[in-house]
Amino acid sequence: MTFPIHALTRRFVSLLLVFGLGSPALADEDFKLAHQEVTHGVHALIGPTGPRSYENHGLNANFGIIDTTGGAVLIDSGASQQGARLLEAEAFRLTGKPVRWVINTGAQDHRWLGNGHFRDRGVQVIAHALTVATQQRNARAQLDSLRPVLKERLDGTEAVTADRPLEGAHTRLNLGGRQIEIRYFADAHFPGDVVVWLPEERILFAGDHVYVERLLGILPQSNAETWLAAFEALAALGPRRIVPGHGSVSDLARARADTGDYLAFIVNGVRPLAGDMVGVDEAVAQLGDATQFARLANYGELHRGNVSRAYLRLEAAQ
């Protein structure tokens, strides 16, 4: 049975948190993620859109918190043990309840490398089997890449994945009385990326399927064609509100303008060039100026590389 936590109890547990008795002490009380309440009991924590840094704990992404009668659900666990403690403290501040479940939406470092902290606290970590496989392949490289950025703030961080990975494209969960769905549509930014869908509220935690206000990055592991298909599949859900992987909480129109339209530009532009095998230099020359997307942060740094990597993948598939 779950009893409500009243204001006095919340204040008492808050004091325990501060003194490190009820929860680990905060790693950096000066760093705060921006908070947006999506609807009652559903929260988005908005990370900076710039690069990972020591100051931001590698939390340059968005995270979710869902309040339930049985405790808090945290969507994505951060890039380190210390980052996980920051997210845990925010979840308690917003709900007055401990984190009981963690859901990983993907395999990028800030989506899952905080799992070990929650495992040690008896929290259930939930992820898709395809996500877990990608996490395991990338773990060592991600930890090595984070070390010079986070330095001692990476200490104690382990690569911990879900104990019982989910199978199938669509899993319905009831977590603390909340109806929550995990949906895999197709490989996107990373193989095995999933979305978290709240069907009753029509709220979508899109993970790295959706970037808003900043340009998405097409990595060597990314597949622009299947990413575009996944975007169209999530759009078909008809979400009322979308928490993107990066950027402000938005609606579908903004998500399409900043992500769907860009992916369509890349795929529809690159596909015929790859079919003709014109070469990567010619593809970049033809598609390297996309001024309609220059309004997005990181356009100058990322766009031409996105064209190059998308072309090379499509050409290799010919």
Side-chain angles (χ1 to χ4, degrees), residues 1-119:
M1 181 179 296
T2 301
F3 294 94
I5 299 178
H6 298 290
L8 184 60
T9 306
R10 285 197 297 268
R11 176 60 179 162
F12 175 72
V13 180
S14 295
L15 290 172
L16 292 180
L17 289 170
V18 169
F19 289 104
L21 299 175
S23 177
L26 296 187
D28 181 357
E29 293 184 9
D30 293 330
F31 175 72
K32 298 292 183 185
L33 293 158
H35 167 238
Q36 289 184 254
E37 186 173 31
V38 186
T39 192
H40 180 68
V42 180
H43 307 271
L45 299 177
I46 309 299
T49 56
R52 294 163 184 76
S53 70
Y54 181 83
E55 291 73 22
N56 66 32
H57 293 265
L59 299 178
N60 59 328
N62 295 345
F63 307 87
I65 296 167
I66 303 170
D67 192 0
T68 82
T69 58
V73 179
L74 176 66
I75 299 175
D76 294 324
S77 62
S80 68
Q81 186 178 66
Q82 287 200 23
R85 288 205 297 268
L86 286 168
L87 296 172
E88 180 183 42
E90 281 298 287
F92 183 84
R93 183 181 70 82
L94 292 168
T95 68
K97 300 168 187 173
V99 173
R100 289 281 309 280
W101 303 274
V102 167
I103 300 173
N104 296 158
T105 65
Q108 198 158 30
D109 49 16
H110 41 220
R111 302 283 168 214
W112 74 283
L113 282 175
N115 286 355
H117 168 73
F118 292 103
R119 175 206 60 187

Side-chain angles (χ1 to χ4, degrees), residues 2-279:
T2 301
F3 294 94
I5 299 178
H6 298 290
L8 184 60
T9 306
R10 285 197 297 268
R11 176 60 179 162
F12 175 72
V13 180
S14 295
L15 290 172
L16 292 180
L17 289 170
V18 169
F19 289 104
L21 299 175
S23 177
L26 296 187
D28 181 357
E29 293 184 9
D30 293 330
F31 175 72
K32 298 292 183 185
L33 293 158
H35 167 238
Q36 289 184 254
E37 186 173 31
V38 186
T39 192
H40 180 68
V42 180
H43 307 271
L45 299 177
I46 309 299
T49 56
R52 294 163 184 76
S53 70
Y54 181 83
E55 291 73 22
N56 66 32
H57 293 265
L59 299 178
N60 59 328
N62 295 345
F63 307 87
I65 296 167
I66 303 170
D67 192 0
T68 82
T69 58
V73 179
L74 176 66
I75 299 175
D76 294 324
S77 62
S80 68
Q81 186 178 66
Q82 287 200 23
R85 288 205 297 268
L86 286 168
L87 296 172
E88 180 183 42
E90 281 298 287
F92 183 84
R93 183 181 70 82
L94 292 168
T95 68
K97 300 168 187 173
V99 173
R100 289 281 309 280
W101 303 274
V102 167
I103 300 173
N104 296 158
T105 65
Q108 198 158 30
D109 49 16
H110 41 220
R111 302 283 168 214
W112 74 283
L113 282 175
N115 286 355
H117 168 73
F118 292 103
R119 175 206 60 187
D120 293 345
R121 296 175 71 75
V123 173
Q124 182 183 4
V125 177
I126 300 168
H128 195 281
L130 295 172
T131 311
V132 168
T134 307
Q135 290 171 345
Q136 292 170 338
R137 285 197 303 271
N138 290 313
R140 177 47 52 195
Q142 289 179 349
L143 288 167
D144 289 347
S145 178
L146 283 170
R147 175 58 67 180
V149 178
L150 298 186
K151 302 175 184 176
E152 82 284 353
R153 286 182 169 172
L154 193 64
D155 291 352
T157 301
E158 301 176 39
V160 173
T161 58
D163 290 332
R164 296 181 180 179
L166 305 175
E167 302 283 352
H170 183 189
T171 302
R172 294 183 176 91
L173 303 172
N174 185 314
L175 303 181
R178 286 271 193 180
Q179 300 303 311
I180 297 174
E181 298 180 6
I182 312 296
R183 292 184 178 237
Y184 167 75
F185 296 120
D187 293 347
H189 187 54
F190 274 75
D193 283 349
V194 302
V195 303
V196 177
W197 172 237
L198 306 185
E200 295 176 357
E201 298 87 351
R202 306 200 68 76
I203 292 170
L204 183 74
F205 287 89
D208 285 330
H209 290 78
V210 175
Y211 286 55
V212 168
E213 299 163 351
R214 60 152 290 186
L215 196 72
L216 60 85
I218 296 174
L219 305 177
Q221 296 186 62
S222 306
N223 185 323
E225 284 190 303
T226 56
W227 191 346
L228 177 59
F231 180 86
E232 294 302 338
L234 71 83
L237 293 174
R240 183 176 62 84
R241 300 289 281 164
I242 295 175
V243 180
H246 301 268
S248 301
V249 177
S250 67
D251 57 15
L252 181 57
R254 183 63 185 270
R256 182 171 294 283
D258 291 2
T259 291
D261 289 351
Y262 181 73
L263 287 169
F265 171 84
I266 293 289
V267 171
N268 294 334
V270 165
R271 186 184 285 134
L273 299 178
D276 292 339
M277 294 191 172
V278 302

